[in-house]
């Protein structure tokens, strides 16, 4: 099945002994010039790339004050060393958060600190060389920018910021990552990460309407480009066709139908995902965010609601207003933006939605917190809503729910292993090994509590687990969407 060793699941987390350069061979495909140039980057490695890289580092640390603080603040206490899923899964010390930071910090020291300029060897400062560049490329693409390490660091140092800065520098010298840059290019030109045409999406939605009517006896609409709708629903494009994503999308439609809220997708902004974040590109993140604003204006909607996608929600929750605002044309009674889980939760609490939990009785469920929802955003108007709201929805729609080990939940959740632009098959070894800590926790609840399924509200997690579960002996159907559970349990008004 694999040409690498798959970690054994013992049900216990063990901190591995160091294996130097264990993952030095792993690198994603490099972007071709035709993917680089439309994003504003050189097509290939520029002649004076060493100086360009050093200057870019200087620019970024000047622009992003957090990065400057993070470069200076580490005291090498070692608390973060065993907190990264990639270190736990690969044993490579460069996958320890502090080891990953050191890749960038050593160059920073050399060119931007006095000690590094005068006594480079003494302070561990490194010249910007081809070897360093290759290390950056390999190991900044073995970080899912999940921020778990920052939760444990006494200074809150966020290694994701190093990975994002490293990738922005790599792009600036002409060495971008194929998968992420291809996705951004498609979203900027076609309107979604998968390059689906408006016609293809409309056809898919039409057949969904037929399927749902056949299954439920109710005509639930899945409209696109409908002017004057109240809500613009922005979802990860995987929701249009991938499993189990599409089952979640059916759930969004049923909720909005039952509540009598008119809504529409947009073919111009048929994508919630924003890979600009992953490559640390302010410009590309902003351009993708602006498409959502333009779609909302063109369609004359009153609210913008995001579907189940972790990083889409992170960008939307944290930055949509600053990147693409103002949104003063929307209905001021609602937050900008909203999440579909917030809508469902609110309707549920007000008694607008009713559920028949027994429809999900064939499953014993657990829930995987997605990194970007857990550690980079919030849901609802109460602290920790990003943890309680999805769980309340699951408990309202299912009879059997079991939590995984507490040290793998909430803000300590383990990444799925493929966020941050790592959902590409040429680095399957990284993805499989990085998923190991989460798989250990799943094994515990499967063995001890008979858990059969894991619910989740992130498109990347869903795609990753569908692929990864079989490596560890679980079925690929074990992962389900939160709104898939809603979809199965919701009692629809037959007159609707
Ligand atoms: S951000 Fe996540 S993937 Fe990156 S070093 Fe920290 S724990 Fe590891
Ligand atoms: S926990 Fe923070 S301060 Fe300690 S080694 Fe890691 S990054 Fe440095």
């Amino acid at each position: 099945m694999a040409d690498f060793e798959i970690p054994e699941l013992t049900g216990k987390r063990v901190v591995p002994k160091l294996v130097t350069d264990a993952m030095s061979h792993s690198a994603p495909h490099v972007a071709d010039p035709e993917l680089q140039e439309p994003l504003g980057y050189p097509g290939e490695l520029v002649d004076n790339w060493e100086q360009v890289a050093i200057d870019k580092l200087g620019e970024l640390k000047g622009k992003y004050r957090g990065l400057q603080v993070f470069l200076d603040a580490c005291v090498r206490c070692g608390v973060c060393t065993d907190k990264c899923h990639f270190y736990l899964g690969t044993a490579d010390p460069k996958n320890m958060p502090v080891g990953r930071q050191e890749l960038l910090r050593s160059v920073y020291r050399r060119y931007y600190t006095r000690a590094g300029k005068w006594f480079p060897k003494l302070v561990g400062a490194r010249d910007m060389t081809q070897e360093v560049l290759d290390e950056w490329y390999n190991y900044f693409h073995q970080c899912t920018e999940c921020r778990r390490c920052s939760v444990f660091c006494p200074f809150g140092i966020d290694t994701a910021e190093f990975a994002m800065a490293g990738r922005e520098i790599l792009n600036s010298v002409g060495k971008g990552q194929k998968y992420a840059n291809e996705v951004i290019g498609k979203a900027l030109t076609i309107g979604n990460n998968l390059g689906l045409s408006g016609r293809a999406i409309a056809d898919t939605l039409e057949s969904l309407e037929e399927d749902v009517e056949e299954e439920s006896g109710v005509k639930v609409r899945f409209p696109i480009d409908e002017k004057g709708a109240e809500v613009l629903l922005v979802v990860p494009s995987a929701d249009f066709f991938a499993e189990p994503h599409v089952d979640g999308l059916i759930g969004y439609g049923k909720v909005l139908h039952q509540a009598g809220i008119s809504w529409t997708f947009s073919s111009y902004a048929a994508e919630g995902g924003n890979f600009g974040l992953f490559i640390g590109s302010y410009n590309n993140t902003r351009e993708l965010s602006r498409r959502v604003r333009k779609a909302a204006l063109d369609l004359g909607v009153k609210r913008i609601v995001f579907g189940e996608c972790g990083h889409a929600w992170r960008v939307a929750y944290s930055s949509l207003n600053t990147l693409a605002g103002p949104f003063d044309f929307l209905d001021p009674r609602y937050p900008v933006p909203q999440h579909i889980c917030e809508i469902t939760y609110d309707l549920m609490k007000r008694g607008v939605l009713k559920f028949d939990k027994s429809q999900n009785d064939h499953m014993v469920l657990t829930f995987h917190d997605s990194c970007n929802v857990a550690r980079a955003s919030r849901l609802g108007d109460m602290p920790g809503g990003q943890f309680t709201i999805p769980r309340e929805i699951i408990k309202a729609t299912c009879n059997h729910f079991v939590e995984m080990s507490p040290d793998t939940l909430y803000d300590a959740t383990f990444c799925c292993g493929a966020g941050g632009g790592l959902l590409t098959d040429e680095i399957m070894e990284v993805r499989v090994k990085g998923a190991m800590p989460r798989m250990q926790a799943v094994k515990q609840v499967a063995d001890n509590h008979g858990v059969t399924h894991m619910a989740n509200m992130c498109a990347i997690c869903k795609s990753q687990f569908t692929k990864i579960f079989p490596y560890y002996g679980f079925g690929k159907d074990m992962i389900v969407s939160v709104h898939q559970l809603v979809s199965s349990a919701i009692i629809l008004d037959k007159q609707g």
Side-chain angles (χ1 to χ4, degrees), residues 73-81 97-98 101 105 149 152-157 159:
C74 176
V75 294
R76 294 177 177 247
C77 67
V79 169
C80 65
T81 51
V98 65
Q101 292 167 26
R105 192 177 278 125
C149 45
F152 296 91
C153 171
F155 303 99
I157 295 174
T159 318

Side-chain angles (χ1 to χ4, degrees), residues 139-168:
Y139 287 100
F140 288 139
H141 291 106
Q142 293 181 43
C143 170
T144 41
E145 301 169 350
C146 78
R147 313 183 81 210
R148 186 172 198 268
C149 45
S150 73
V151 171
F152 296 91
C153 171
F155 303 99
I157 295 174
D158 183 1
T159 318
E161 297 291 328
F162 287 76
M164 288 177 191
R167 294 186 196 179
E168 171 77 338

